[in-house]
Amino acid sequence: MFSRSEEDHIKAIHGLLEDAGQASTKDIADRLSTRASSVTDMLKKLAAKGLVRHAPYHGATLTTKGRRHALTLVRKHRLWETFLVQRLGFTWDEVHEVAEQLEHVSSEPLIERLDAYLGHPRFDPHGDPIPDRDGRMPERVTVHLTEAQVGLRHQLVAVKDGSDALLRLLDSKGMTIGRVFTLSARQDFDGSLQLTWRGGGCDLSAQVAAHLLTVPDNP
Amino acid sequence: MFSRSEEDHIKAIHGLLEDAGQASTKDIADRLSTRASSVTDMLKKLAAKGLVRHAPYHGATLTTKGRRHALTLVRKHRLWETFLVQRLGFTWDEVHEVAEQLEHVSSEPLIERLDAYLGHPRFDPHGDPIPDRDGRMPERVTVHLTEAQVGLRHQLVAVKDGSDALLRLLDSKGMTIGRVFTLSARQDFDGSLQLTWRGGGCDLSAQVAAHLLTVPDNP
DNA sequence: GGACATTTTTAGACTTGCCTAAATATTATT
DNA sequence: AATAATATTTAGGCAAGTCTAAAAATGTCC
């Protein structure tokens, strides 16, 4: 239906619209490690196919059709990541590149069966929501760890904009997605945090905490 | 490392060498639904890369390097087929097309973890052997059902050159890979066979039986 | 508001992988 | 062995996707 390159562009535009509210030619090019002129070509092509609205010199947005396809790509990517971590035992910092390939495999039955096999997960191993078959996102009220209340129990549900280095740091401290912990203390001096959980705990700097999203986990 | 098209050609050549002992330009073209002239182009390219030996006007063979790569493709294809049937619940006549896509996903850790997850299977759901990481095939002594001994128990272990129609016929009669049965009778007139097993049985024409490979299953 | 910097598009070229048509080699037939 | 049929290669072309360089539009800064 769509080529690998078309799908990559659609996903990049979707990501930029989510992150920044707009998708310029240059930003798309940077995200895909390609050149602005190549992106212009592709935008014309995708506009002709009715997936993208291209306002020359003013970036691109997705049509309803484009957004729908972007969401199926996100769905496939996150379901494969869940499979790789939950079933094959990859660590969550290793899976992105492989999922990037798997998401382009085109088979509706495959993805629906995979979804069922994984128990219809609502969030992937990074804590990001998995769109359902119709593109609907599950909702969840999250709190930045920097603003979470001291003395209460919380659960780590997502890492925003996590570099590999950050993911490894978290892994090494035992801060995996799903971790339930008590926020024992916050230092006024530098905003660093002390976390404890049954059998362990760790300290986190404010820089790290700024990337972590939590939900209250009150017993 | 190699493009989708290069890998398709390598696999086609390997398949033809297995089935017919030689791979002519035309046979490769037919197998890939492409044209002989396109195949000639690709043979030159693969020869330059050291994967194929191309004797102009006399077909192609694989170099050691080419054969090694062909076997990793076969390994990937059959492991994915096993996953699709055993874990996702596909029927064995549905999986080929999807496995065809999955086998081109390139990640050594992925395939080794998948292999372990499936319990290092030695044969796929069609009963075909799965090469190990080093390209070694597991061995098995098989007997064509047409030559199997009447009155004894046998197990169906493979279907050779099975069309979708044949696979569906077998499925509808309950003749799945792994089926253990007693060969009750062979008609001299047309070679048709009568099979029975606990709770069932079926009749098969000689044409069908010619595609079935069995191993003795003596209690 | 004009000059400069940046972004974007256009123009033209290249590679990969495919095609058709024509030329050439091999194989089969009489 | 000559001719016919088939297979293979060569030659030339086309579409997709990418690139560089140049032109055009937009944004920024004094």
Side-chain angles (χ1 to χ4, degrees), chain B residues 81-99:
Chain B
E81 283 197 343
T82 304
F83 170 73
L84 294 172
V85 170
Q86 252 183 37
R87 302 300 163 117
L88 296 196
F90 280 91
T91 60
W92 60 329
D93 55 314
E94 295 174 322
V95 296
H96 186 78
E97 193 211 354
V98 179

Side-chain angles (χ1 to χ4, degrees), chain A residues 101, chain B residues 1-2 7 11 68-84 98-112 114-115 118 124 129-133:
Chain A
Q101 293 185 62
Chain B
M1 188 67 177
F2 301 114
E7 292 195 336
K11 218 174 53 132
R68 195 166 52 228
H69 195 71
L71 285 168
T72 77
L73 291 170
V74 170
R75 172 171 166 77
K76 291 201 276 184
H77 185 95
R78 292 182 181 168
L79 283 173
W80 279 118
E81 283 197 343
T82 304
F83 170 73
L84 294 172
V98 179
E100 201 74 15
Q101 293 185 62
L102 286 165
E103 78 189 0
H104 295 288
V105 172
S106 151
S107 164
E108 186 124 0
L110 171 62
I111 212 64
E112 295 316 316
L114 181 65
D115 184 39
L118 297 171
D124 77 6
I130 301 175
D132 72 13
R133 178 196 326 225

Side-chain angles (χ1 to χ4, degrees), chain B residues 1-185:
Chain B
M1 188 67 177
F2 301 114
S3 73
R4 167 81 198 245
S5 178
E6 287 169 342
E7 292 195 336
D8 284 340
H9 281 76
I10 289 165
K11 218 174 53 132
I13 295 165
H14 182 260
L16 286 164
L17 292 174
E18 285 249 301
D19 296 354
Q22 53 178 294
S24 74
T25 304
K26 179 172 194 305
D27 289 345
I28 299 166
D30 288 349
R31 196 173 267 228
L32 297 177
S33 299
T34 180
R35 297 308 184 130
S37 56
S38 308
V39 172
T40 301
D41 288 348
M42 186 55 83
L43 290 182
K44 283 186 196 161
K45 190 178 169 196
L46 292 174
K49 284 196 173 192
L51 293 160
V52 154
R53 257 181 307 273
H54 181 210
Y57 294 101
H58 295 93
T61 55
L62 293 173
T63 63
T64 302
K65 188 174 161 195
R67 191 161 38 250
R68 195 166 52 228
H69 195 71
L71 285 168
T72 77
L73 291 170
V74 170
R75 172 171 166 77
K76 291 201 276 184
H77 185 95
R78 292 182 181 168
L79 283 173
W80 279 118
E81 283 197 343
T82 304
F83 170 73
L84 294 172
V85 170
Q86 252 183 37
R87 302 300 163 117
L88 296 196
F90 280 91
T91 60
W92 60 329
D93 55 314
E94 295 174 322
V95 296
H96 186 78
E97 193 211 354
V98 179
E100 201 74 15
Q101 293 185 62
L102 286 165
E103 78 189 0
H104 295 288
V105 172
S106 151
S107 164
E108 186 124 0
L110 171 62
I111 212 64
E112 295 316 316
R113 280 181 187 272
L114 181 65
D115 184 39
Y117 183 63
L118 297 171
H120 304 288
R122 300 173 63 238
F123 299 92
D124 77 6
H126 298 93
D128 292 318
I130 301 175
D132 72 13
R133 178 196 326 225
D134 303 314
R136 277 188 297 269
M137 287 286 193
E139 305 257 342
R140 178 158 62 184
V141 192
T142 58
V143 178
H144 265 99
L145 181 53
T146 44
E147 283 139 29
Q149 208 175 329
V150 173
L152 295 184
R153 278 197 9 201
H154 308 274
Q155 185 180 14
L156 178 64
V157 296
V159 177
K160 294 303 269 185
D161 313 314
S163 63
D164 277 8
L166 174 60
L167 297 180
R168 276 195 298 277
L169 177 153
L170 292 171
D171 229 43
S172 75
K173 299 204 179 204
M175 277 298 282
T176 51
I177 291 291
R179 164 67 68 199
V180 173
F181 59 89
T182 301
L183 182 55
S184 326

